[in-house]
Structure formats: structure tokens, C-alpha cells
Amino acid sequence: MASEDGEVVKNMQVIFRDYVSGFPKETDMEVRESTMKLRLPAGSNGLLVKNLFLSCDPYMRTRMAKLDIPGYVDSFKPGSAITGYGVARVLESGHPNFKKGDLLWGFTGWEEYSLITAPEACFKIEHTDVPLSYYTGLLGMVGMAAYAGFFKVCSPKKGETVFISAASGAVGQLVGQFAKLFGCYVVGSAGSKEKVDLLKNKFGFNDAFNYKEEPDLDAALKRCFPEGIDIYFENVGGKMLDAVLLNMKIRGRIALCGLISQYNLEQPEGPYNLMNLILKQVRMEGFLVFDYYHLYPKLLEMVLPQIKEGKIVYVEDTTEGLENAPAALIGLFSGRNVGKQVVVVSHE
């Protein structure tokens, strides 16, 4: 169907129904078909894009609640399409940095076609000799979180001991490989035998354990780190963080990237062992990836050759079809995914 000012197409969308407390459900989202005019509004400096891949990320759970945090991303808007990181092709551009046919990654809608009103926050994809889906992870926000959290927040030194929770996830698998290539001793925790095997046999971790099979996390960490932990890359929170605090070395560093064990709780847990931060002069720092995007060229400079040389491997868990996106997102919170969770919207 066409009109004078642009073709009208069907546009499948994932709509956010209402704010969530407790564990999110697929029914908190609705897959709906609407229509969209494939034409930029007159005078717009935005982008009209066709979405190819969408990223499912744990931080999206925080956006399902009503947020008022200056400097952080907004809550999802009830009745509107969910937004998140994705890879898209430009159909029409009103912005000088992009032209029709360009590929980009950045914030887009959970829908087939999107109007991006802040294209300055998107990154043009220049390197297409790697899988495009990598720009939802390794070569996108996730890669930047791993790079910034490890190298900038943790300031590693060769030979240090590094522990990573949720280590087979999108960020954790990268931090472990960055740390190994840097010359550190690396241990990760994960929630299944399959994931532990991945850490040791595919990602090259020195050791790994299944936290679900460890009745005493403090004892598990002492077994893996008899001399203590220099760097903890935190993705989980709760009981794991408390156990880590007992095992940090003097002047250790903790990067708070995520707290996935806490996102669905009505009443957050602990931590109870914060005195160790004082006694051991440990620095614990939270960070937001947005503050480090100016370093994106450095990430590409480091990682692209390592991908091509096979020094870095990346595992994705791919879901086909926008209609299956709600299940893919909810699956993150029960650990159903193995590796980076990606939704394929279109193979073009």
C-alpha cells in the first residue's frame, strides 16, 4: 500500500503493557501489528531504519519499573514499543552522519521499522567482515561495558587474580577473555555444567564453578583463590557479593556492572560484609557504559584483530522472530540463555 508521502507498511511491535514489580512475565509485553509510513517527517534530522537484530540485556529489567534516576535511561513507556540496543539499516536519513543503506548500532525500537530521533547516539558500522549480530554485543554496548569496566574501572596489572560472576553471559565471557589475554589468572562462576564447561574449554578461564552446586560460596572462592581476589567483576550481587567481600585482597577493586540476582526482588538482599571494604582498603565502583563511549574506537582497535586471529571467541544465543522476543528477554532472568541473547528481526 502506498501514499503520496511514503509507502505504508505493516510494522510488528513489542509493546510494554505496564510497570512491573517482582519477576517479569512474557505477558508484561504484547506483540502487536501496526502500520507505519516509510517516510521521515518534514524537517526531521532523524533516521528511518529497518531493524535487523535486537539485544536482550539484563539492565532492561530496571526499565520495566518506574525510574527517576538522573543520567540513566528512562523507564519503558506503557503502551509504547520497548526500546533497546539493536542493529539496523538506514532507509532514509535526515542526519549528515548517515545516508540511505548505512548500517548502524544503537538505541532503537523493538519493532520491524523505527524512527530514531537521536541519531547522534548511534554508531555507524564500518566493519562488515564480522557477523553483524556482534554489534549487539562484542562490538557494541556489551563490549564497551566489558572494556571500560575491566581496563578503566579495575585498572588491572599483569598476574593479578580476577573473579567474574555470571561469567558465561554477554559481558562476563568478554571480561574473562580480556583478562586472560592481559595476563591475569581468571575464574568464573555460572549456573550450569554446560556453562562451566564453556568457561574452561572455550573461553580459556583458568577455573570455573557452578554456584548452584556450592553450598558455601565463601569456601568455593577460598578453594579457587587461596591468596585472595585482586579484581571482582560484579554481574550478580546478593550472596555472591557478600562471599567475595570476605575474599578480596588488600587494595582490591570491584567493578559493579550489574546485579541480576536483585532485579526481581521486592526487598533487596544485603550486602552484610561491607566492613571488608574498609579493613582491606578495597575500592568498589559502579559505572554506566554511556560515560565511556568516547573510547569506542579503542575497543575496535583492540578487539577486531583478536576476533580475526581467533584470540577472542563469542557465543550467542539466537532467537528468530520479533514475536519470540518477549520470551527471549524473560529467559535472561532464569539463566535460560547460553551466551549473548540476540533476537533476529530480519535477514533482509
Side-chain angles (χ1 to χ4, degrees), residues 95-328:
H95 195 278
N97 292 356
F98 297 92
K99 64 181 189 302
K100 182 179 178 178
D102 282 348
L103 289 160
L104 61 80
W105 71 268
F107 249 61
T108 188
W110 276 36
E111 53 195 355
E112 291 175 281
Y113 300 93
S114 291
L115 176 62
I116 295 176
T117 55
E120 56 279 359
C122 293
F123 295 82
K124 188 173 172 180
I125 294 174
E126 308 279 6
H127 303 275
T128 55
D129 52 347
V130 291
L132 275 182
S133 58
Y134 279 14
Y135 288 93
T136 67
L138 168 58
L139 297 173
M141 179 275 287
V142 165
M144 272 312 310
Y147 179 87
F150 182 63
F151 289 108
K152 301 303 171 185
V153 178
C154 292
S155 306
K157 300 179 189 72
K158 191 174 179 179
E160 287 192 314
T161 55
V162 177
F163 177 54
I164 303 155
S165 55
S168 69
V171 176
Q173 60 173 291
L174 285 178
V175 176
Q177 292 179 82
F178 290 169
K180 278 293 291 180
L181 288 167
F182 191 74
C184 295
Y185 179 85
V186 182
V187 178
S189 64
S192 72
K193 182 183 183 302
E194 179 191 7
K195 292 177 180 180
V196 168
D197 288 345
L198 261 184
L199 295 178
K200 293 199 278 195
N201 301 323
K202 193 171 185 76
F203 300 138
F205 283 51
N206 295 97
D207 203 355
F209 63 88
N210 181 350
Y211 71 89
K212 293 177 182 174
E213 293 179 352
E214 299 289 347
D216 185 339
L217 292 174
D218 178 30
L221 291 171
K222 282 183 167 56
R223 183 179 75 234
C224 295
F225 297 101
E227 310 269 307
I229 300 167
D230 290 300
I231 289 172
Y232 175 43
F233 199 96
E234 167 67 296
N235 293 307
V236 169
K239 294 179 175 66
M240 186 64 82
L241 175 57
D242 255 336
V244 168
L245 289 170
L246 298 173
N247 288 278
M248 291 299 293
K249 285 187 186 177
I250 290 173
R251 293 191 177 83
R253 286 87 69 208
I254 299 173
L256 294 174
C257 181
L259 299 169
I260 197 168
S261 74
Q262 304 301 294
Y263 295 157
N264 301 314
L265 300 182
E266 303 272 2
Q267 187 65 43
E269 299 172 326
Y272 301 102
N273 295 324
L274 288 176
M275 181 60 79
N276 288 273
L277 296 181
I278 301 169
L279 299 176
K280 296 178 181 177
Q281 301 143 75
V282 172
R283 176 168 58 83
M284 182 160 70
E285 182 179 342
F287 70 99
L288 292 176
V289 71
F290 321 121
D291 293 337
Y292 294 92
Y293 276 148
H294 62 284
L295 299 175
Y296 184 60
K298 289 191 176 298
L299 172 74
L300 292 183
E301 187 184 318
M302 183 183 88
V303 170
L304 282 169
Q306 292 173 333
I307 295 171
K308 289 164 188 173
E309 292 163 21
K311 290 181 178 174
I312 283 186
V313 292
Y314 199 59
V315 172
E316 295 177 314
D317 195 322
T318 303
T319 295
E320 290 280 343
L322 199 54
E323 67 278 10
N324 296 313

